[in-house]
């Protein structure tokens, strides 16, 4: 019948239960994820959250990181990591800039015509 209607079999069965009931395990994991996120000010990402949940529930089967990601997305939990700030360039005044002690003309008409070394 699905072939005749040109729909996927999964879509046909999803039609019967559009709001799939979450399992009891998902509910427990969801509660644990929310508890960990509140205690750590949402600093944990998916991987750290997975390790924390698995550490706090050692007697159960380990939870997969994609399941943690799905539950975090459903509940609106995301990590708040600090953004990288580029170092700011400090402008200097001509008084602070080192003077040209050599006072020579460094323009050359061809390569290797003039050389200068850093010997003090």
């Amino acid at each position: 019948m699905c072939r005749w209607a040109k729909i996927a079999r999964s879509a046909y069965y999803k039609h019967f239960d559009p709001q799939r009931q979450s399992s009891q395990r998902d509910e427990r994991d969801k509660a644990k994820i929310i508890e960990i996120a509140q205690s750590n000010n949402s600093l944990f990402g998916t991987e750290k959250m997975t390790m924390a949940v698995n550490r706090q529930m050692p007697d159960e089967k380990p939870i997969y990181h994609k399941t943690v990601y799905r539950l975090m997305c459903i509940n609106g939990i995301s990590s708040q990591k600090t953004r990288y700030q580029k170092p700011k360039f400090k402008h200097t005044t001509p008084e602070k800039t080192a003077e040209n002690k050599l006072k020579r003309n460094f323009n050359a008409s061809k390569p290797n015509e003039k050389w200068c070394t850093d010997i003090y």
Side-chain angles (χ1 to χ4, degrees), residues 2-116:
C2 290
R3 203 176 308 149
W4 173 77
K6 295 182 181 177
I7 60 169
R9 208 178 327 160
S10 60
Y12 172 74
Y13 286 108
K14 189 174 182 181
H15 169 73
F16 289 114
D17 190 16
Q19 299 292 327
R20 290 188 179 179
Q21 299 295 323
S22 60
S23 65
Q24 290 179 350
R25 174 162 175 140
D26 276 355
E27 293 298 323
R28 281 185 302 203
D29 293 340
K30 179 176 119 177
K32 187 57 86 175
I33 287 170
I34 291 172
E35 176 189 329
I36 292 170
Q38 288 175 349
S39 66
N40 293 311
N41 297 325
S42 297
L43 291 177
F44 285 177
T46 307
E47 295 295 327
K48 263 192 169 181
M49 186 68 76
T50 305
M51 288 190 293
V53 170
N54 287 334
R55 235 184 260 128
Q56 290 189 8
M57 298 192 298
D59 53 329
E60 294 186 19
K61 282 176 72 176
I63 187 171
Y64 191 53
H65 69 92
K66 289 185 179 180
T67 307
V68 172
Y69 176 73
R70 178 177 52 84
L71 292 172
M72 286 175 71
C73 286
I74 290 171
N75 295 306
I77 300 170
S78 61
S79 64
Q80 301 171 353
K81 56 184 190 179
T82 58
R83 295 190 178 197
Y84 174 74
Q85 292 182 353
K86 290 201 275 187
K88 295 183 176 153
F89 178 74
K90 292 183 181 178
H91 295 282
T92 59
T93 59
E95 294 83 28
K96 291 183 180 178
T97 307
E99 62 179 272
N100 184 4
K101 293 182 180 178
L102 298 176
K103 293 189 170 106
R104 294 185 185 160
N105 182 12
F106 289 104
N107 296 328
S109 59
K110 54 186 175 181
N112 292 328
E113 187 178 19
K114 296 182 182 180
W115 286 68
C116 181

